[in-house]
Short mmCIF file of all heavy atoms in Angstrom, two decimals:
data_model
loop_
_atom_site.label_atom_id
_atom_site.label_comp_id
_atom_site.label_asym_id
_atom_site.label_seq_id
_atom_site.Cartn_x
_atom_site.Cartn_y
_atom_site.Cartn_z
N LEU A 125 49.08 53.96 167.82
CA LEU A 125 48.79 53.93 169.25
C LEU A 125 47.31 53.60 169.50
O LEU A 125 46.98 52.90 170.46
CB LEU A 125 49.14 55.27 169.89
CG LEU A 125 48.91 55.38 171.40
CD1 LEU A 125 49.80 54.40 172.15
CD2 LEU A 125 49.13 56.80 171.89
N MET A 126 46.44 54.09 168.64
CA MET A 126 45.01 53.83 168.79
C MET A 126 44.71 52.34 168.77
O MET A 126 43.86 51.85 169.53
CB MET A 126 44.23 54.52 167.66
CG MET A 126 43.90 55.97 167.94
SD MET A 126 42.45 56.11 169.01
CE MET A 126 41.16 55.65 167.85
N ASP A 127 45.38 51.60 167.91
CA ASP A 127 45.16 50.17 167.85
C ASP A 127 45.54 49.52 169.17
O ASP A 127 44.82 48.64 169.67
CB ASP A 127 45.96 49.56 166.70
CG ASP A 127 45.71 48.07 166.54
OD1 ASP A 127 44.60 47.69 166.13
OD2 ASP A 127 46.63 47.28 166.84
N TYR A 128 46.65 49.95 169.73
CA TYR A 128 47.07 49.43 171.04
C TYR A 128 46.04 49.79 172.11
O TYR A 128 45.64 48.94 172.92
CB TYR A 128 48.44 50.00 171.40
CG TYR A 128 48.87 49.70 172.82
CD1 TYR A 128 49.35 48.44 173.16
CD2 TYR A 128 48.79 50.68 173.81
CE1 TYR A 128 49.74 48.15 174.46
CE2 TYR A 128 49.17 50.41 175.11
CZ TYR A 128 49.64 49.14 175.43
OH TYR A 128 50.02 48.87 176.72
N CYS A 129 45.61 51.05 172.13
CA CYS A 129 44.64 51.49 173.14
C CYS A 129 43.33 50.72 173.03
O CYS A 129 42.70 50.40 174.04
CB CYS A 129 44.37 52.98 173.00
SG CYS A 129 45.75 54.05 173.46
N TYR A 130 42.92 50.42 171.81
CA TYR A 130 41.70 49.64 171.64
C TYR A 130 41.85 48.29 172.34
O TYR A 130 40.97 47.86 173.09
CB TYR A 130 41.38 49.42 170.16
CG TYR A 130 40.28 48.40 169.96
CD1 TYR A 130 38.95 48.76 170.09
CD2 TYR A 130 40.58 47.05 169.70
CE1 TYR A 130 37.94 47.82 169.97
CE2 TYR A 130 39.57 46.11 169.58
CZ TYR A 130 38.25 46.50 169.71
OH TYR A 130 37.26 45.56 169.60
N HIS A 131 42.97 47.62 172.11
CA HIS A 131 43.13 46.26 172.62
C HIS A 131 43.29 46.21 174.14
O HIS A 131 42.84 45.26 174.78
CB HIS A 131 44.34 45.58 171.95
CG HIS A 131 44.04 45.05 170.58
ND1 HIS A 131 44.16 45.84 169.45
CD2 HIS A 131 43.60 43.84 170.17
CE1 HIS A 131 43.82 45.11 168.40
NE2 HIS A 131 43.47 43.91 168.80
N VAL A 132 43.93 47.21 174.75
CA VAL A 132 44.17 47.14 176.19
C VAL A 132 43.14 47.92 177.01
O VAL A 132 43.07 47.75 178.23
CB VAL A 132 45.59 47.63 176.57
CG1 VAL A 132 46.65 46.77 175.92
CG2 VAL A 132 45.79 49.10 176.23
N ALA A 133 42.35 48.79 176.36
CA ALA A 133 41.42 49.62 177.13
C ALA A 133 40.00 49.60 176.58
O ALA A 133 39.05 49.36 177.33
CB ALA A 133 41.93 51.07 177.17
N SER A 134 39.84 49.82 175.29
CA SER A 134 38.48 49.86 174.74
C SER A 134 37.76 48.53 174.91
O SER A 134 36.56 48.50 175.21
CB SER A 134 38.51 50.25 173.25
OG SER A 134 38.90 51.60 173.10
N VAL A 135 38.49 47.42 174.73
CA VAL A 135 37.81 46.13 174.87
C VAL A 135 37.34 45.90 176.31
O VAL A 135 36.32 45.25 176.54
CB VAL A 135 38.68 44.94 174.39
CG1 VAL A 135 38.93 45.03 172.89
CG2 VAL A 135 39.97 44.84 175.16
N VAL A 136 38.06 46.46 177.27
CA VAL A 136 37.61 46.36 178.66
C VAL A 136 36.29 47.12 178.82
O VAL A 136 35.35 46.64 179.47
CB VAL A 136 38.68 46.90 179.63
CG1 VAL A 136 38.16 46.85 181.06
CG2 VAL A 136 39.97 46.09 179.50
N GLY A 137 36.21 48.31 178.21
CA GLY A 137 34.96 49.04 178.25
C GLY A 137 33.82 48.29 177.59
O GLY A 137 32.68 48.32 178.08
N LEU A 138 34.11 47.61 176.51
CA LEU A 138 33.09 46.84 175.81
C LEU A 138 32.62 45.64 176.64
O LEU A 138 31.43 45.29 176.64
CB LEU A 138 33.62 46.39 174.45
CG LEU A 138 33.84 47.52 173.45
CD1 LEU A 138 34.65 47.03 172.25
CD2 LEU A 138 32.53 48.13 173.00
N ILE A 139 33.54 45.02 177.35
CA ILE A 139 33.17 43.93 178.26
C ILE A 139 32.28 44.46 179.37
O ILE A 139 31.23 43.89 179.69
CB ILE A 139 34.43 43.27 178.85
CG1 ILE A 139 35.22 42.54 177.76
CG2 ILE A 139 34.06 42.30 179.97
CD1 ILE A 139 36.62 42.11 178.20
N CYS A 140 32.70 45.58 179.97
CA CYS A 140 31.91 46.16 181.07
C CYS A 140 30.52 46.56 180.59
O CYS A 140 29.53 46.42 181.32
CB CYS A 140 32.64 47.37 181.64
SG CYS A 140 34.16 46.98 182.54
N LEU A 141 30.43 47.02 179.36
CA LEU A 141 29.15 47.44 178.81
C LEU A 141 28.15 46.28 178.82
O LEU A 141 26.97 46.47 179.11
CB LEU A 141 29.36 47.96 177.40
CG LEU A 141 28.21 48.74 176.75
CD1 LEU A 141 27.88 49.99 177.55
CD2 LEU A 141 28.58 49.11 175.31
N GLU A 142 28.63 45.09 178.48
CA GLU A 142 27.75 43.93 178.48
C GLU A 142 27.26 43.61 179.90
O GLU A 142 26.13 43.15 180.09
CB GLU A 142 28.47 42.71 177.90
CG GLU A 142 28.90 42.87 176.45
CD GLU A 142 27.73 43.10 175.50
OE1 GLU A 142 26.65 42.52 175.74
OE2 GLU A 142 27.89 43.87 174.53
N ILE A 143 28.09 43.87 180.88
CA ILE A 143 27.70 43.63 182.27
C ILE A 143 26.74 44.71 182.75
O ILE A 143 25.75 44.42 183.45
CB ILE A 143 28.95 43.57 183.17
CG1 ILE A 143 29.83 42.36 182.78
CG2 ILE A 143 28.57 43.52 184.65
CD1 ILE A 143 31.17 42.33 183.45
N PHE A 144 26.98 45.95 182.37
CA PHE A 144 26.10 47.04 182.78
C PHE A 144 24.67 46.86 182.25
O PHE A 144 23.70 47.17 182.92
CB PHE A 144 26.61 48.38 182.25
CG PHE A 144 27.92 48.84 182.81
CD1 PHE A 144 28.75 49.66 182.06
CD2 PHE A 144 28.34 48.48 184.08
CE1 PHE A 144 29.96 50.10 182.56
CE2 PHE A 144 29.55 48.91 184.60
CZ PHE A 144 30.36 49.73 183.82
N GLY A 145 24.58 46.38 181.00
CA GLY A 145 23.32 46.46 180.27
C GLY A 145 23.25 47.83 179.61
O GLY A 145 23.71 48.83 180.19
N TYR A 146 22.68 47.92 178.43
CA TYR A 146 22.68 49.21 177.72
C TYR A 146 21.66 49.21 176.60
O TYR A 146 21.23 48.17 176.12
CB TYR A 146 24.07 49.50 177.16
CG TYR A 146 24.57 48.51 176.13
CD1 TYR A 146 24.48 48.78 174.75
CD2 TYR A 146 25.14 47.29 176.51
CE1 TYR A 146 24.93 47.86 173.81
CE2 TYR A 146 25.60 46.38 175.57
CZ TYR A 146 25.49 46.67 174.23
OH TYR A 146 25.94 45.76 173.30
N GLU A 147 21.32 50.41 176.19
CA GLU A 147 20.53 50.64 174.99
C GLU A 147 21.45 51.26 173.94
O GLU A 147 22.59 51.59 174.22
CB GLU A 147 19.37 51.59 175.30
CG GLU A 147 18.41 51.06 176.36
CD GLU A 147 17.33 52.06 176.72
OE1 GLU A 147 17.47 53.25 176.34
OE2 GLU A 147 16.37 51.68 177.40
N GLY A 148 20.95 51.43 172.73
CA GLY A 148 21.71 52.19 171.74
C GLY A 148 22.57 51.38 170.81
O GLY A 148 23.15 51.93 169.88
N GLY A 149 22.70 50.08 171.05
CA GLY A 149 23.43 49.23 170.12
C GLY A 149 24.83 49.70 169.81
O GLY A 149 25.63 49.99 170.72
N GLU A 150 25.14 49.83 168.53
CA GLU A 150 26.50 50.17 168.10
C GLU A 150 26.91 51.55 168.57
O GLU A 150 28.10 51.79 168.83
CB GLU A 150 26.58 50.08 166.57
CG GLU A 150 27.97 50.35 166.00
CD GLU A 150 29.04 49.43 166.57
OE1 GLU A 150 28.73 48.27 166.90
OE2 GLU A 150 30.20 49.88 166.70
N SER A 151 25.96 52.48 168.67
CA SER A 151 26.31 53.82 169.16
C SER A 151 26.88 53.75 170.57
O SER A 151 27.88 54.40 170.90
CB SER A 151 25.09 54.74 169.13
OG SER A 151 24.66 54.96 167.80
N ALA A 152 26.25 52.95 171.43
CA ALA A 152 26.75 52.80 172.80
C ALA A 152 28.11 52.13 172.80
O ALA A 152 29.01 52.53 173.56
CB ALA A 152 25.75 51.99 173.62
N ARG A 153 28.27 51.12 171.97
CA ARG A 153 29.56 50.42 171.93
C ARG A 153 30.69 51.35 171.46
O ARG A 153 31.81 51.30 171.99
CB ARG A 153 29.46 49.18 171.04
CG ARG A 153 28.61 48.08 171.66
CD ARG A 153 28.69 46.79 170.89
NE ARG A 153 27.97 46.86 169.62
CZ ARG A 153 26.68 46.61 169.46
NH1 ARG A 153 25.94 46.27 170.50
NH2 ARG A 153 26.11 46.66 168.26
N GLN A 154 30.40 52.22 170.50
CA GLN A 154 31.43 53.16 170.04
C GLN A 154 31.80 54.14 171.13
O GLN A 154 32.98 54.46 171.34
CB GLN A 154 30.94 53.91 168.81
CG GLN A 154 31.98 54.88 168.23
CD GLN A 154 33.27 54.18 167.85
OE1 GLN A 154 33.27 53.27 167.04
NE2 GLN A 154 34.40 54.59 168.44
N ARG A 155 30.81 54.62 171.86
CA ARG A 155 31.10 55.56 172.94
C ARG A 155 31.89 54.89 174.07
O ARG A 155 32.76 55.50 174.69
CB ARG A 155 29.80 56.15 173.49
CG ARG A 155 28.99 56.95 172.47
CD ARG A 155 29.64 58.28 172.09
NE ARG A 155 30.72 58.17 171.14
CZ ARG A 155 30.56 58.09 169.82
NH1 ARG A 155 29.35 58.08 169.30
NH2 ARG A 155 31.61 58.03 169.01
N ALA A 156 31.59 53.61 174.35
CA ALA A 156 32.36 52.88 175.36
C ALA A 156 33.81 52.73 174.92
O ALA A 156 34.74 52.86 175.73
CB ALA A 156 31.74 51.51 175.62
N ALA A 157 34.01 52.47 173.63
CA ALA A 157 35.37 52.36 173.11
C ALA A 157 36.10 53.70 173.22
O ALA A 157 37.29 53.75 173.57
CB ALA A 157 35.34 51.87 171.66
N ASP A 158 35.40 54.79 172.93
CA ASP A 158 36.00 56.12 173.04
C ASP A 158 36.43 56.43 174.47
O ASP A 158 37.51 56.99 174.70
CB ASP A 158 35.01 57.19 172.57
CG ASP A 158 34.77 57.18 171.07
OD1 ASP A 158 35.67 56.74 170.33
OD2 ASP A 158 33.68 57.59 170.64
N LEU A 159 35.58 56.06 175.43
CA LEU A 159 35.93 56.32 176.82
C LEU A 159 37.15 55.50 177.22
O LEU A 159 38.02 55.99 177.96
CB LEU A 159 34.76 56.00 177.74
CG LEU A 159 34.97 56.32 179.22
CD1 LEU A 159 35.33 57.78 179.43
CD2 LEU A 159 33.74 55.96 180.04
N GLY A 160 37.25 54.28 176.73
CA GLY A 160 38.45 53.48 176.99
C GLY A 160 39.70 54.17 176.47
O GLY A 160 40.74 54.18 177.14
N ILE A 161 39.61 54.77 175.28
CA ILE A 161 40.75 55.51 174.73
C ILE A 161 41.11 56.66 175.65
O ILE A 161 42.29 56.90 175.95
CB ILE A 161 40.42 56.04 173.32
CG1 ILE A 161 40.12 54.89 172.35
CG2 ILE A 161 41.56 56.91 172.79
CD1 ILE A 161 41.29 54.00 172.03
N ALA A 162 40.11 57.41 176.11
CA ALA A 162 40.37 58.55 176.99
C ALA A 162 41.10 58.13 178.26
O ALA A 162 42.08 58.77 178.68
CB ALA A 162 39.05 59.25 177.35
N LEU A 163 40.64 57.05 178.87
CA LEU A 163 41.27 56.58 180.11
C LEU A 163 42.70 56.13 179.85
O LEU A 163 43.61 56.41 180.64
CB LEU A 163 40.46 55.43 180.70
CG LEU A 163 39.02 55.76 181.13
CD1 LEU A 163 38.30 54.50 181.60
CD2 LEU A 163 38.99 56.82 182.21
#
Side-chain angles (χ1 to χ4, degrees):
L125 181 64
M126 275 279 287
D127 183 69
Y128 171 77
C129 290
Y130 169 81
H131 281 88
V132 299
S134 291
V135 295
V136 177
L138 292 168
I139 293 168
C140 291
L141 193 61
E142 298 299 325
I143 296 171
F144 294 152
Y146 62 99
E147 299 175 347
E150 183 57 32
S151 294
R153 290 189 288 273
Q154 182 58 59
R155 298 289 79 83
D158 289 333
L159 183 57
I161 299 293
L163 298 176

